[in-house]
Amino acid sequence: MRYYLRKLAFYLVALWAAVTLNFFIPRMMPGDPVDILMAKLQQRGSGVDPSARRAYELLLGTDSDEPLFRQYLSYLGNLVRGDFGISVSDFPTPVSTVIATSLPWTVALVGIATVLAVLFGITLGVFVGWRRGTWLDSLVPATTVLSAVPYFWLALILVAVLGSALGWFPLLGGYDVVLTPGWNADFLGSALYHGVLPALTIVVSSVGGWLLGTRNMMVSAMAEDYVLTARAKGLREGRVMIWYAARNAVLPSVAGFAISLGFVVAGSIVTEQVFAYPGIGSKLLQAVQNNDYALMQAIFLVITVAVLAANLAVDLLYGIIDPRTRTGG
């Protein structure tokens, strides 16, 4: 029990530290979101009264007359209430609405693609490691080369070949613009069709790392005494491979999967820009370009909570799978 309480306390402190950094770092960046908003309103032909600046500062939570510590306390209070403020990039849309409309796209695309890459990589790594020295080992250099290829370059190649030259898949967007978003077969089919190329980019560029890591762990596990003992008992090869070698070889991949969740949104920024995909990565880039403090903070908070929750779940799961991790608890 002490092990689990200690882990929970550690992640709560990490969450507080991340939330604090999330508040201060955007405010250290040059530029003022209020100036950007007023300039955008003027470009649209709207006459902006200079006296309205104070109202916009209060609305966006960047009151220059309020001490920074008071702003920090107000920020924490708003987080508890689920109030993330107003987005400058999509003014006057609330940040919570912007995230609610864009996050499902990224979770569906990058999340599912990451899970597929992990499953394919681990499965191939188990078989390649078990059959080391055979022709299956020739797969490893090819997949590691693909892992070294930059995201955007691979995405552009897939767009040029599968999208432009062959015309198998659409080049841009997340769905057919003539359709109305909703839970219906036409829209879901269109979203799935438009997501093939971005998902393929993520899977192809990620699967090699998982394959190589699992393959090396399998080779190491096969030299362990428990595998040699299982073989000496005359157990079937399939059982030895799965229940003895693979069961221990994939443990590091479990932790690696949680860490990789931190790169889901980071990697999606490039992918979504190439494919003009309406995910949260595009919103993050748009927020940085417009000094949209509120939207940046909310997106970073979503990333932080997701990564910390995944790592906490893995740590707790490790305590169940491998009791040695609880030693000293």
Side-chain angles (χ1 to χ4, degrees):
M1 180 60 68
R2 289 178 57 191
Y3 168 81
Y4 298 111
L5 292 177
R6 188 168 63 247
K7 286 293 181 182
L8 183 60
F10 169 79
Y11 282 103
L12 287 176
V13 173
L15 177 61
W16 169 80
V19 168
T20 302
L21 290 174
N22 194 24
F23 171 80
F24 284 104
I25 289 179
R27 284 164 172 76
M28 297 177 184
M29 298 174 62
D32 189 338
V34 178
D35 292 335
I36 295 174
L37 175 59
M38 296 182 70
K40 291 173 69 174
L41 293 177
Q42 289 176 346
Q43 289 175 357
R44 296 175 184 174
S46 303
V48 180
D49 188 346
S51 63
R53 179 182 179 84
R54 174 66 176 171
Y56 286 132
E57 286 182 345
L58 296 174
L59 180 65
L60 299 177
T62 59
D63 186 1
S64 57
D65 295 335
E66 187 177 22
L68 195 61
F69 183 70
R70 291 281 302 274
Q71 294 183 37
Y72 175 66
L73 294 179
S74 300
Y75 168 70
L76 294 180
N78 291 334
L79 286 185
V80 173
R81 294 191 299 270
D83 180 10
F84 299 108
I86 303 297
S87 171
V88 173
S89 307
D90 295 282
F91 186 83
T93 307
V95 170
S96 56
T97 302
V98 175
I99 292 181
T101 56
S102 58
L103 183 60
W105 290 96
T106 297
V107 172
L109 170 66
V110 189
I112 294 176
T114 301
V115 171
L116 291 176
V118 171
L119 293 178
F120 288 151
I122 290 178
T123 302
L124 291 174
V126 167
F127 283 101
V128 171
W130 185 255
R131 301 293 183 183
R132 69 188 187 281
T134 64
W135 65 271
L136 289 174
D137 259 347
S138 62
L139 293 173
V140 177
T143 54
T144 51
V145 168
L146 289 175
S147 298
V149 174
Y151 251 35
F152 70 92
W153 189 84
L154 181 59
L156 292 174
I157 291 297
L158 291 178
V159 167
V161 176
L162 300 181
S164 181
L166 299 177
W168 290 353
F169 301 101
L171 302 179
L172 302 172
Y175 60 95
D176 193 339
V177 293
V178 301
L179 299 175
T180 302
W183 294 100
N184 54 78
D186 291 338
F187 174 75
L188 294 178
S190 177
L192 181 62
Y193 183 48
H194 280 72
V196 171
L197 278 185
L200 186 61
T201 302
I202 298 171
V203 172
V204 170
S205 61
S206 304
V207 71
W210 297 104
L211 190 156
L212 180 62
T214 307
R215 183 260 182 199
N216 293 338
M217 291 304 301
M218 276 292 292
V219 172
S220 300
M222 288 171 60
E224 297 291 339
D225 292 338
Y226 54 82
V227 175
L228 299 177
T229 302
R231 279 179 159 173
K233 290 181 179 180
L235 298 178
R236 290 182 295 105
E237 287 289 291
R239 183 177 180 184
V240 176
M241 179 182 70
I242 296 175
W243 293 104
Y244 289 84
R247 185 178 181 181
N248 291 277
V250 301
L251 283 177
S253 297
V254 175
F257 173 67
I259 296 174
S260 70
L261 291 178
F263 298 95
V264 166
V265 174
S268 72
I269 296 175
V270 177
T271 305
E272 292 176 4
Q273 282 299 109
V274 172
F275 294 99
Y277 202 78
I280 201 171
S282 299
K283 292 298 181 182
L284 177 58
L285 181 61
Q286 184 181 356
V288 173
Q289 292 173 340
N290 291 282
N291 281 20
D292 193 343
Y293 291 168
L295 186 55
M296 278 191 287
Q297 289 173 332
I299 293 177
F300 289 148
L301 182 63
V302 169
I303 299 172
T304 300
V305 171
V307 174
L308 290 178
N311 280 274
L312 175 60
V314 168
D315 278 347
L316 298 181
L317 185 61
Y318 250 92
I320 298 174
I321 297 176
D322 189 356
R324 293 174 297 179
T325 59
R326 300 198 300 265
T327 301

Coordinates of all heavy atoms in Angstrom, one line a residue, residues 192-274:
L192 N -12.7 8.1 -41.6 CA -11.8 7.0 -41.7 C -11.0 7.0 -42.9 O -9.8 6.8 -42.9 CB -12.6 5.7 -41.5 CG -11.8 4.4 -41.5 CD1 -10.8 4.4 -40.3 CD2 -12.7 3.2 -41.5
Y193 N -11.6 7.3 -44.1 CA -10.9 7.3 -45.4 C -9.9 8.4 -45.4 O -8.7 8.2 -45.9 CB -12.0 7.6 -46.5 CG -11.4 7.5 -47.9 CD1 -10.6 6.5 -48.3 CD2 -11.8 8.5 -48.8 CE1 -10.1 6.5 -49.6 CE2 -11.3 8.5 -50.1 CZ -10.5 7.5 -50.5 OH -10.0 7.5 -51.8
H194 N -10.2 9.6 -44.9 CA -9.2 10.7 -44.9 C -8.1 10.5 -43.8 O -7.0 11.1 -44.0 CB -10.0 12.0 -44.5 CG -10.7 12.7 -45.7 ND1 -11.8 12.1 -46.2 CD2 -10.4 13.8 -46.4 CE1 -12.3 12.9 -47.2 NE2 -11.4 13.9 -47.3
G195 N -8.3 9.6 -42.9 CA -7.3 9.4 -41.8 C -6.3 8.3 -42.2 O -5.4 8.1 -41.4
V196 N -6.5 7.6 -43.3 CA -5.6 6.5 -43.6 C -4.2 7.0 -43.8 O -3.2 6.4 -43.3 CB -6.1 5.8 -44.9 CG1 -5.1 4.8 -45.4 CG2 -7.4 5.1 -44.6
L197 N -4.0 8.0 -44.7 CA -2.6 8.5 -45.0 C -1.9 9.0 -43.7 O -0.7 8.7 -43.5 CB -2.6 9.5 -46.1 CG -2.7 9.0 -47.5 CD1 -2.6 10.1 -48.5 CD2 -1.6 8.0 -47.8
P198 N -2.5 9.9 -42.9 CA -1.9 10.4 -41.7 C -1.5 9.2 -40.7 O -0.5 9.2 -40.2 CB -2.9 11.4 -41.1 CG -3.7 11.8 -42.2 CD -3.8 10.6 -43.1
A199 N -2.5 8.3 -40.6 CA -2.2 7.2 -39.7 C -1.1 6.3 -40.2 O -0.2 5.8 -39.4 CB -3.5 6.4 -39.5
L200 N -1.1 6.1 -41.5 CA 0.0 5.3 -42.1 C 1.4 5.9 -41.9 O 2.4 5.2 -41.7 CB -0.3 5.1 -43.6 CG 0.7 4.1 -44.4 CD1 0.6 2.7 -43.8 CD2 0.3 4.1 -45.9
T201 N 1.4 7.2 -42.0 CA 2.7 7.9 -41.7 C 3.2 7.7 -40.3 O 4.4 7.4 -40.1 CB 2.5 9.5 -41.9 OG1 2.0 9.7 -43.2 CG2 3.8 10.2 -41.7
I202 N 2.3 7.7 -39.4 CA 2.7 7.5 -38.0 C 3.1 6.1 -37.7 O 4.1 5.8 -37.1 CB 1.5 7.9 -37.0 CG1 1.2 9.4 -37.2 CG2 1.9 7.6 -35.6 CD1 0.0 9.9 -36.5
V203 N 2.3 5.1 -38.2 CA 2.6 3.7 -38.0 C 4.0 3.3 -38.7 O 4.8 2.7 -38.0 CB 1.5 2.8 -38.6 CG1 1.9 1.4 -38.5 CG2 0.2 3.0 -37.8
V204 N 4.2 3.7 -39.9 CA 5.4 3.4 -40.6 C 6.6 4.0 -40.0 O 7.7 3.3 -39.8 CB 5.3 3.8 -42.1 CG1 6.7 3.7 -42.8 CG2 4.3 3.0 -42.8
S205 N 6.5 5.2 -39.5 CA 7.7 5.8 -38.9 C 7.9 5.4 -37.4 O 9.0 5.6 -36.9 CB 7.5 7.4 -38.9 OG 6.4 7.7 -38.2
S206 N 7.0 4.8 -36.8 CA 7.1 4.4 -35.4 C 7.3 2.9 -35.2 O 7.9 2.5 -34.1 CB 5.8 4.8 -34.6 OG 5.6 6.2 -34.8
V207 N 6.9 2.1 -36.1 CA 6.9 0.6 -35.8 C 8.3 0.1 -35.7 O 8.6 -0.9 -34.9 CB 6.2 -0.1 -36.9 CG1 6.9 -0.1 -38.2 CG2 5.8 -1.6 -36.5
G208 N 9.3 0.7 -36.4 CA 10.7 0.2 -36.3 C 11.3 0.2 -35.0 O 12.0 -0.7 -34.6
G209 N 11.1 1.3 -34.2 CA 11.6 1.4 -32.9 C 11.1 0.4 -31.9 O 11.9 -0.2 -31.2
W210 N 9.8 0.1 -32.0 CA 9.2 -0.9 -31.2 C 9.7 -2.3 -31.6 O 10.0 -3.2 -30.7 CB 7.7 -0.9 -31.3 CG 7.1 0.4 -30.8 CD1 6.6 1.4 -31.5 CD2 7.0 0.8 -29.4 NE1 6.2 2.5 -30.7 CE2 6.4 2.1 -29.4 CE3 7.3 0.2 -28.2 CZ2 6.2 2.8 -28.2 CZ3 7.1 0.9 -27.0 CH2 6.5 2.2 -27.0
L211 N 9.9 -2.6 -32.9 CA 10.4 -3.8 -33.3 C 11.8 -4.1 -32.8 O 12.1 -5.2 -32.3 CB 10.3 -3.9 -34.9 CG 10.6 -5.2 -35.6 CD1 9.9 -5.2 -36.9 CD2 12.1 -5.5 -35.7
L212 N 12.7 -3.1 -33.0 CA 14.0 -3.3 -32.6 C 14.2 -3.5 -31.1 O 14.9 -4.4 -30.6 CB 14.9 -2.1 -33.0 CG 16.4 -2.1 -32.7 CD1 17.0 -3.3 -33.4 CD2 17.0 -0.8 -33.1
G213 N 13.5 -2.7 -30.3 CA 13.5 -2.8 -28.9 C 13.1 -4.1 -28.4 O 13.7 -4.8 -27.5
T214 N 11.9 -4.6 -28.9 CA 11.4 -5.9 -28.4 C 12.3 -7.0 -28.9 O 12.5 -8.0 -28.2 CB 10.0 -6.0 -29.0 OG1 9.2 -4.9 -28.6 CG2 9.3 -7.3 -28.4
R215 N 12.8 -6.9 -30.1 CA 13.7 -8.0 -30.6 C 14.9 -8.1 -29.8 O 15.3 -9.3 -29.4 CB 14.1 -7.6 -32.1 CG 14.9 -8.7 -32.8 CD 16.4 -8.3 -32.7 NE 17.2 -9.2 -33.4 CZ 18.5 -9.4 -33.2 NH1 19.2 -8.5 -32.4 NH2 19.2 -10.3 -33.9
N216 N 15.5 -7.0 -29.4 CA 16.7 -7.1 -28.5 C 16.4 -7.7 -27.1 O 17.2 -8.5 -26.6 CB 17.4 -5.7 -28.4 CG 17.9 -5.2 -29.7 OD1 18.2 -6.0 -30.6 ND2 18.1 -3.9 -29.8
M217 N 15.2 -7.3 -26.6 CA 14.8 -7.8 -25.3 C 14.5 -9.3 -25.4 O 14.8 -10.1 -24.4 CB 13.6 -7.1 -24.8 CG 13.9 -5.6 -24.3 SD 15.2 -5.5 -23.1 CE 14.5 -6.5 -21.8
M218 N 13.9 -9.7 -26.5 CA 13.7 -11.2 -26.7 C 15.0 -12.0 -26.7 O 15.1 -13.1 -26.2 CB 12.9 -11.4 -28.0 CG 11.4 -11.2 -27.8 SD 10.6 -12.5 -26.8 CE 10.8 -13.9 -27.9
V219 N 16.0 -11.5 -27.4 CA 17.3 -12.1 -27.5 C 17.9 -12.3 -26.1 O 18.4 -13.3 -25.8 CB 18.2 -11.4 -28.5 CG1 19.6 -12.0 -28.4 CG2 17.7 -11.4 -29.9
S220 N 17.8 -11.2 -25.3 CA 18.3 -11.3 -24.0 C 17.5 -12.2 -23.1 O 18.1 -13.0 -22.3 CB 18.3 -9.9 -23.3 OG 19.1 -9.0 -24.1
A221 N 16.2 -12.2 -23.2 CA 15.3 -13.1 -22.4 C 15.6 -14.6 -22.7 O 15.5 -15.5 -21.9 CB 13.9 -12.8 -22.6
M222 N 15.9 -14.9 -24.0 CA 16.1 -16.3 -24.4 C 17.3 -16.9 -23.8 O 17.5 -18.1 -23.7 CB 16.1 -16.4 -25.9 CG 14.8 -16.1 -26.6 SD 14.9 -16.0 -28.4 CE 15.6 -17.6 -28.8
A223 N 18.2 -16.0 -23.3 CA 19.4 -16.5 -22.7 C 19.3 -16.7 -21.2 O 20.2 -17.2 -20.5 CB 20.6 -15.6 -22.9
E224 N 18.1 -16.3 -20.6 CA 17.9 -16.5 -19.2 C 17.6 -17.9 -18.8 O 17.2 -18.7 -19.6 CB 16.7 -15.6 -18.8 CG 16.9 -14.1 -19.0 CD 17.9 -13.5 -18.1 OE1 18.2 -14.1 -17.0 OE2 18.4 -12.4 -18.4
D225 N 17.9 -18.2 -17.5 CA 17.7 -19.6 -17.0 C 16.3 -20.1 -17.1 O 16.1 -21.3 -17.3 CB 18.2 -19.6 -15.6 CG 19.7 -19.4 -15.5 OD1 20.4 -19.6 -16.5 OD2 20.2 -19.0 -14.4
Y226 N 15.3 -19.2 -16.9 CA 13.9 -19.7 -16.8 C 13.5 -20.1 -18.2 O 12.7 -21.1 -18.4 CB 13.0 -18.6 -16.3 CG 13.0 -17.3 -17.0 CD1 12.4 -17.0 -18.1 CD2 13.8 -16.2 -16.4 CE1 12.4 -15.8 -18.8 CE2 13.8 -15.0 -17.0 CZ 13.1 -14.8 -18.2 OH 13.2 -13.6 -18.8
V227 N 14.0 -19.5 -19.3 CA 13.7 -20.0 -20.6 C 14.4 -21.3 -20.9 O 13.8 -22.2 -21.5 CB 14.1 -18.9 -21.7 CG1 13.9 -19.4 -23.1 CG2 13.3 -17.6 -21.5
L228 N 15.7 -21.4 -20.5 CA 16.4 -22.7 -20.7 C 15.8 -23.8 -20.0 O 15.7 -25.0 -20.5 CB 17.9 -22.5 -20.3 CG 18.7 -21.4 -21.1 CD1 20.1 -21.3 -20.5 CD2 18.7 -21.8 -22.6
T229 N 15.3 -23.5 -18.8 CA 14.6 -24.6 -18.0 C 13.3 -25.0 -18.6 O 13.0 -26.2 -18.6 CB 14.4 -24.0 -16.5 OG1 15.6 -23.6 -15.9 CG2 13.7 -25.1 -15.7
A230 N 12.5 -24.0 -19.1 CA 11.3 -24.4 -19.8 C 11.5 -25.2 -21.0 O 10.8 -26.2 -21.3 CB 10.6 -23.1 -20.2
R231 N 12.6 -25.0 -21.7 CA 12.9 -25.8 -22.9 C 13.3 -27.2 -22.5 O 13.0 -28.2 -23.1 CB 14.0 -25.1 -23.7 CG 13.4 -24.0 -24.7 CD 14.5 -23.4 -25.4 NE 14.0 -22.7 -26.6 CZ 14.8 -21.9 -27.4 NH1 16.1 -21.7 -27.2 NH2 14.2 -21.4 -28.5
A232 N 14.1 -27.2 -21.4 CA 14.6 -28.5 -20.9 C 13.4 -29.4 -20.4 O 13.5 -30.6 -20.5 CB 15.6 -28.3 -19.8
K233 N 12.3 -28.8 -20.0 CA 11.2 -29.5 -19.5 C 10.4 -30.1 -20.7 O 9.5 -30.9 -20.5 CB 10.2 -28.7 -18.7 CG 10.8 -28.3 -17.4 CD 9.8 -27.4 -16.6 CE 10.3 -27.1 -15.2 NZ 9.3 -26.2 -14.5
G234 N 10.7 -29.7 -21.9 CA 10.0 -30.2 -23.1 C 8.8 -29.5 -23.4 O 7.9 -30.0 -24.2
L235 N 8.6 -28.2 -22.9 CA 7.4 -27.5 -23.2 C 7.4 -27.1 -24.7 O 8.4 -27.0 -25.3 CB 7.3 -26.2 -22.3 CG 7.3 -26.4 -20.8 CD1 7.3 -25.1 -20.1 CD2 6.0 -27.3 -20.5
R236 N 6.2 -26.9 -25.2 CA 6.0 -26.5 -26.6 C 6.7 -25.1 -26.9 O 6.7 -24.3 -26.0 CB 4.6 -26.4 -27.0 CG 3.9 -27.8 -27.1 CD 2.4 -27.6 -27.5 NE 1.6 -26.9 -26.5 CZ 1.2 -25.7 -26.7 NH1 1.5 -25.0 -27.8 NH2 0.4 -25.1 -25.8
E237 N 7.3 -25.0 -28.1 CA 8.0 -23.8 -28.4 C 7.1 -22.6 -28.3 O 7.6 -21.5 -27.9 CB 8.6 -23.9 -29.9 CG 9.7 -24.9 -30.0 CD 11.0 -24.3 -29.3 OE1 11.6 -23.3 -29.9 OE2 11.4 -24.8 -28.3
G238 N 5.9 -22.7 -28.8 CA 5.0 -21.5 -28.7 C 4.7 -21.1 -27.3 O 4.7 -19.9 -27.0
R239 N 4.6 -22.0 -26.4 CA 4.3 -21.7 -25.0 C 5.6 -21.0 -24.4 O 5.5 -20.0 -23.6 CB 4.0 -22.9 -24.2 CG 3.6 -22.6 -22.7 CD 3.2 -23.9 -22.0 NE 2.9 -23.6 -20.6 CZ 2.5 -24.5 -19.7 NH1 2.4 -25.7 -20.0 NH2 2.3 -24.1 -18.4
V240 N 6.8 -21.6 -24.7 CA 8.0 -21.0 -24.2 C 8.2 -19.5 -24.7 O 8.5 -18.6 -23.9 CB 9.2 -21.8 -24.5 CG1 10.5 -21.2 -24.1 CG2 9.1 -23.2 -23.9
M241 N 7.9 -19.4 -26.0 CA 8.0 -18.0 -26.6 C 7.1 -17.0 -25.9 O 7.6 -15.9 -25.6 CB 7.8 -18.1 -28.1 CG 7.9 -16.8 -28.8 SD 7.5 -16.9 -30.6 CE 5.7 -17.2 -30.5
I242 N 5.8 -17.3 -25.8 CA 4.9 -16.4 -25.3 C 4.9 -16.2 -23.8 O 5.0 -15.1 -23.3 CB 3.5 -16.8 -25.8 CG1 3.4 -16.7 -27.3 CG2 2.4 -15.8 -25.2 CD1 2.1 -17.2 -27.9
W243 N 4.8 -17.3 -23.0 CA 4.6 -17.3 -21.6 C 5.9 -17.1 -20.8 O 5.9 -16.8 -19.6 CB 3.9 -18.5 -21.1 CG 2.5 -18.5 -21.6 CD1 2.0 -19.3 -22.6 CD2 1.4 -17.7 -21.1 NE1 0.7 -19.1 -22.8 CE2 0.3 -18.1 -21.9 CE3 1.3 -16.8 -20.1 CZ2 -1.0 -17.5 -21.7 CZ3 0.1 -16.2 -19.9 CH2 -1.1 -16.6 -20.7
Y244 N 7.1 -17.4 -21.4 CA 8.3 -17.2 -20.7 C 9.2 -16.1 -21.3 O 9.6 -15.2 -20.5 CB 9.1 -18.6 -20.8 CG 8.5 -19.6 -19.9 CD1 7.4 -20.4 -20.4 CD2 8.9 -19.9 -18.6 CE1 6.8 -21.4 -19.6 CE2 8.4 -20.9 -17.8 CZ 7.3 -21.6 -18.3 OH 6.7 -22.6 -17.5
A245 N 9.5 -16.2 -22.6 CA 10.4 -15.1 -23.1 C 9.7 -13.8 -23.4 O 10.1 -12.8 -22.9 CB 11.0 -15.7 -24.4
A246 N 8.6 -13.9 -24.2 CA 7.9 -12.6 -24.5 C 7.3 -11.9 -23.3 O 7.2 -10.7 -23.3 CB 6.8 -12.9 -25.6
R247 N 6.8 -12.7 -22.4 CA 6.1 -12.1 -21.2 C 7.1 -11.2 -20.5 O 6.6 -10.1 -19.9 CB 5.6 -13.2 -20.3 CG 4.8 -12.7 -19.1 CD 4.3 -13.9 -18.3 NE 3.5 -13.5 -17.2 CZ 3.0 -14.3 -16.3 NH1 3.1 -15.6 -16.4 NH2 2.3 -13.9 -15.3
N248 N 8.3 -11.5 -20.4 CA 9.3 -10.7 -19.7 C 9.9 -9.7 -20.7 O 10.3 -8.6 -20.2 CB 10.4 -11.6 -19.1 CG 9.9 -12.4 -17.9 OD1 9.8 -11.9 -16.8 ND2 9.5 -13.6 -18.2
A249 N 10.0 -10.0 -21.9 CA 10.7 -9.1 -22.9 C 9.8 -7.8 -23.1 O 10.4 -6.8 -23.5 CB 10.9 -9.8 -24.2
V250 N 8.5 -7.9 -23.0 CA 7.6 -6.8 -23.4 C 7.5 -5.8 -22.2 O 6.9 -4.8 -22.4 CB 6.3 -7.3 -23.9 CG1 6.4 -8.1 -25.1 CG2 5.5 -8.0 -22.8
L251 N 8.0 -6.2 -21.0 CA 7.8 -5.3 -19.9 C 8.3 -3.9 -20.1 O 7.7 -2.9 -19.8 CB 8.4 -5.9 -18.6 CG 7.6 -7.0 -18.0 CD1 8.3 -7.6 -16.8 CD2 6.2 -6.5 -17.5
P252 N 9.6 -3.7 -20.6 CA 10.1 -2.4 -20.9 C 9.2 -1.6 -21.9 O 9.1 -0.4 -21.9 CB 11.5 -2.6 -21.5 CG 11.9 -3.9 -20.9 CD 10.6 -4.8 -20.9
S253 N 8.6 -2.4 -22.9 CA 7.7 -1.7 -23.9 C 6.5 -1.1 -23.2 O 5.9 -0.2 -23.8 CB 7.4 -2.7 -25.0 OG 8.5 -3.2 -25.6
V254 N 6.0 -1.7 -22.1 CA 4.9 -1.2 -21.4 C 5.1 0.2 -20.9 O 4.3 1.1 -21.1 CB 4.4 -2.1 -20.3 CG1 3.3 -1.5 -19.5 CG2 4.0 -3.5 -20.8
A255 N 6.3 0.4 -20.3 CA 6.7 1.7 -19.8 C 7.0 2.6 -21.0 O 6.6 3.8 -21.0 CB 8.0 1.6 -19.0
G256 N 7.6 2.1 -22.1 CA 7.9 2.9 -23.2 C 6.6 3.4 -23.9 O 6.6 4.5 -24.5
F257 N 5.5 2.6 -23.9 CA 4.3 3.0 -24.5 C 3.7 4.2 -23.7 O 3.2 5.2 -24.4 CB 3.3 1.9 -24.4 CG 1.9 2.2 -24.9 CD1 1.7 2.6 -26.2 CD2 0.8 2.2 -24.0 CE1 0.4 2.9 -26.6 CE2 -0.4 2.6 -24.4 CZ -0.7 2.9 -25.7
A258 N 3.8 4.2 -22.4 CA 3.3 5.4 -21.6 C 4.1 6.6 -22.0 O 3.5 7.7 -22.1 CB 3.3 5.1 -20.1
I259 N 5.4 6.5 -22.1 CA 6.2 7.7 -22.4 C 5.9 8.2 -23.8 O 5.9 9.4 -24.1 CB 7.7 7.3 -22.3 CG1 8.0 6.9 -20.8 CG2 8.6 8.4 -22.8 CD1 9.4 6.4 -20.6
S260 N 5.6 7.2 -24.7 CA 5.4 7.6 -26.1 C 4.1 8.5 -26.2 O 3.9 9.2 -27.2 CB 5.3 6.4 -27.0 OG 4.1 5.7 -26.7
L261 N 3.2 8.4 -25.2 CA 2.0 9.2 -25.3 C 2.3 10.7 -25.3 O 1.5 11.5 -25.8 CB 1.1 8.8 -24.1 CG 0.4 7.4 -24.2 CD1 -0.4 7.2 -22.9 CD2 -0.4 7.2 -25.4
G262 N 3.4 11.0 -24.7 CA 3.8 12.4 -24.6 C 4.2 12.9 -26.0 O 4.1 14.1 -26.2
F263 N 4.5 12.0 -26.9 CA 4.8 12.5 -28.3 C 3.6 12.4 -29.2 O 3.8 12.7 -30.4 CB 6.0 11.6 -28.8 CG 7.2 11.7 -28.1 CD1 7.5 10.8 -27.1 CD2 8.1 12.8 -28.3 CE1 8.7 10.9 -26.3 CE2 9.3 12.9 -27.5 CZ 9.6 11.9 -26.6
V264 N 2.5 12.0 -28.7 CA 1.3 11.9 -29.6 C 0.9 13.2 -30.2 O 0.8 13.4 -31.4 CB 0.1 11.3 -28.8 CG1 -1.2 11.5 -29.6 CG2 0.4 9.8 -28.6
V265 N 0.7 14.2 -29.3 CA 0.4 15.6 -29.8 C 1.6 16.2 -30.4 O 1.4 16.9 -31.5 CB -0.2 16.4 -28.6 CG1 -0.4 17.8 -29.1 CG2 -1.5 15.8 -28.1
A266 N 2.8 16.0 -29.9 CA 4.0 16.7 -30.5 C 4.2 16.2 -31.9 O 4.4 17.0 -32.8 CB 5.2 16.4 -29.7
G267 N 4.0 14.9 -32.1 CA 4.2 14.4 -33.5 C 3.0 14.8 -34.4 O 3.2 14.9 -35.6
S268 N 1.9 15.0 -33.8 CA 0.7 15.3 -34.6 C 0.8 16.7 -35.2 O 0.1 17.0 -36.2 CB -0.6 15.1 -33.8 OG -0.7 16.2 -32.9
I269 N 1.6 17.6 -34.6 CA 1.7 18.9 -35.1 C 2.1 18.9 -36.6 O 1.5 19.5 -37.5 CB 2.6 19.8 -34.3 CG1 2.1 19.9 -32.8 CG2 2.9 21.1 -34.9 CD1 3.0 20.6 -31.9
V270 N 3.2 18.2 -36.8 CA 3.8 18.1 -38.2 C 2.8 17.3 -39.1 O 2.5 17.8 -40.2 CB 5.2 17.4 -38.2 CG1 5.7 17.3 -39.6 CG2 6.1 18.2 -37.3
T271 N 2.3 16.2 -38.6 CA 1.4 15.4 -39.5 C 0.2 16.1 -39.8 O -0.3 16.1 -41.0 CB 1.1 14.1 -38.7 OG1 2.3 13.4 -38.3 CG2 0.3 13.2 -39.6
E272 N -0.4 16.8 -38.9 CA -1.7 17.5 -39.1 C -1.4 18.7 -40.0 O -2.3 19.1 -40.8 CB -2.3 18.0 -37.8 CG -2.8 16.8 -37.0 CD -3.4 17.2 -35.6 OE1 -3.4 18.4 -35.4 OE2 -3.7 16.3 -34.9
Q273 N -0.3 19.3 -40.0 CA 0.0 20.5 -40.9 C 0.2 20.0 -42.3 O -0.3 20.6 -43.2 CB 1.3 21.2 -40.4 CG 1.1 22.1 -39.2 CD 0.1 23.2 -39.5 OE1 -0.9 23.2 -39.0 NE2 0.5 24.1 -40.3
V274 N 0.8 18.9 -42.5 CA 1.0 18.3 -43.9 C -0.3 18.0 -44.5 O -0.6 18.3 -45.7 CB 1.9 17.1 -43.9 CG1 2.0 16.5 -45.3 CG2 3.3 17.6 -43.5

